[in-house]
Amino acid sequence: MLLAEIVATSTAVAATRSRKAKVAALADPLRHAVAEGPEELETVVSYLGGTLRQRRTGLGWRGMSDLPDPATEPALSVTEVHEAFEELSAIAGAGSQNKRKDAVNALFARATDTEQARLRGPVTGEVRRGRARRARPGGGRPGGGRPAPRRTPQRDALREHAGRRRGGLPRW
């Protein structure tokens, strides 16, 4: 699967508010990734979520400042990008900054401008996920999405009565 497909899907998901449209946009790349195998699926899901599979890549703002000119045609596959970041995360020791810079230039020279922007986001921590908090079960509210019970005189009376029966502790 090409990285350009992931970028197009992410753009389509970000452009709409409709959940049905988002599900429809995500279904095709996920179906394709399932057919490719579990490794590809894990990478595709990670990239669609705006993260890399590697915890640390050794890259930051400084390493992304001088990127090469973008490619004109999309040619990067998701697996190639994952392997490139895997190699980047393993670079260490003397001369590692130059090796890392060469590896970044080799990867980003093969990426189009939209792919470069999409890859730059997770590396620098500049990924916007929209209203991800609302998308969670519970809508980001304490209590798992259930609204707090309204206080009424009847509830207060029940709470007081229950508290007197059980040693002063309310039941809920």
Side-chain angles (χ1 to χ4, degrees):
M1 171 182 283
L2 290 177
L3 182 64
E5 294 175 49
I6 300 298
V7 172
T9 300
S10 295
T11 304
V13 167
T16 184
R17 293 178 60 189
S18 168
R19 285 186 183 180
K20 287 182 181 180
K22 290 180 188 221
V23 168
L26 290 169
D28 189 42
L30 290 176
R31 229 180 271 118
H32 183 39
V34 166
E36 293 292 322
E39 185 79 16
E40 178 96 0
L41 177 63
E42 188 174 343
T43 305
V44 167
V45 169
S46 176
Y47 287 1
L48 284 171
T51 60
L52 299 175
R53 288 182 54 196
Q54 294 77 16
R55 267 189 65 203
R56 292 181 172 215
T57 58
L59 291 175
W61 285 98
R62 193 76 140 168
M64 306 299 285
S65 60
D66 288 331
L67 294 178
D69 292 333
T72 55
E73 295 293 320
L76 278 175
S77 73
V78 172
T79 306
E80 289 173 325
V81 173
H82 170 66
E83 289 170 357
F85 278 117
E86 195 67 37
E87 290 172 10
L88 275 166
S89 66
I91 296 174
S96 62
Q97 285 182 339
N98 290 333
K99 290 177 191 175
R100 196 173 289 118
K101 185 176 182 176
D102 293 341
V104 167
N105 286 339
L107 173 64
F108 278 81
R110 295 185 54 213
T112 63
D113 57 345
T114 55
E115 291 172 337
Q116 281 188 1
R118 180 68 181 171
L119 289 174
R120 194 179 306 119
V123 170
T124 60
E126 201 175 287
V127 176
R128 300 204 172 125
R129 292 188 182 93
R131 302 195 64 152
R133 186 174 168 173
R134 288 245 186 225
R136 279 189 262 143
R141 290 188 300 240
R146 295 181 308 264
R150 291 188 298 190
R151 290 193 67 175
T152 62
Q154 292 85 3
R155 284 183 192 256
D156 289 342
L158 281 173
R159 192 170 288 175
E160 254 183 65
H161 178 69
R164 271 189 255 130
R165 264 196 355 233
R166 301 216 173 185
L169 298 175
R171 287 183 8 175
W172 50 71

